[in-house]
Structure formats: C-alpha cells, structure tokens
Amino acid sequence: MAQTERTVPTVHSGRVSRRSGDKTVRVVLDYTTKHPKYGKILKRRTVAHVHDANNEAEIGDLVSISKCRPLSKTKTWRLVSVLEKR
C-alpha cells in the first residue's frame, strides 16, 4: 500500500472576538468575495472556534490559526501564534 503524503494545513489570520471558556477563543475571519451575477464586492465573515492551549490570546489580538482534527463539536482550528497584541 502506497504511503500518502499529508497536505500542509492552510494558515489564516483573524481577530479574537471572544474568550469562550478555558483554552478556547473565537476568531473572526473577514474576507471579500464578488457577487456571482452583479459583480459587487461583498464583505463576508466566518467565525472559527480555536483551541488555545496556553490561554495566550486576548480579545482584539491578531492571531494566526490552522485547521486540525476535530477537538470538540465545534473546535476544528488550532492557534499557531499571536501576531499582534492589542
């Protein structure tokens, strides 16, 4: 059986919007997309529940996160680093 190569998880950056419990933060990922028919640029956002093992991120910090295996019902992201303290 051939060994498959693991894909490198993509890294996103966003702002911490809430500290929800021990070792968990909510990060808002803002992005823009084009409307399929009219072409207008639309602002969109995704909220990710992120595992913060050391409780180092605070509200308003700019953080870097990556996808990981499911850690709970909603947490599938892991904190990579804090890019900017607020």
Side-chain angles (χ1 to χ4, degrees):
M1 186 169 173
Q3 189 174 10
T4 59
E5 291 185 26
R6 297 184 92 178
T7 59
V8 176
T10 56
V11 177
H12 296 281
S13 61
R15 293 265 175 209
V16 176
S17 64
R18 184 179 297 175
R19 289 211 48 92
S20 39
D22 187 34
K23 299 183 180 183
T24 304
V25 292
R26 281 179 41 179
V27 176
V28 175
L29 305 168
D30 292 319
Y31 63 97
T32 57
T33 185
K34 202 171 184 180
H35 190 279
K37 183 174 180 181
Y38 299 112
K40 180 178 176 166
I41 303 297
L42 304 170
K43 289 183 186 177
R44 297 285 184 228
R45 69 176 23 180
T46 300
V47 177
H49 295 255
V50 179
H51 181 67
D52 180 10
N54 300 327
N55 289 323
E56 53 188 297
E58 297 296 328
I59 295 174
D61 291 351
L62 183 65
V63 295
S64 167
I65 62 173
S66 70
K67 197 84 165 157
C68 68
R69 65 179 178 84
L71 300 171
S72 70
K73 181 180 174 182
T74 57
K75 280 201 295 189
T76 57
W77 295 88
R78 190 177 305 257
L79 183 73
V80 175
S81 64
V82 177
L83 302 173
E84 176 187 302
K85 286 293 214 182
R86 188 138 196 205

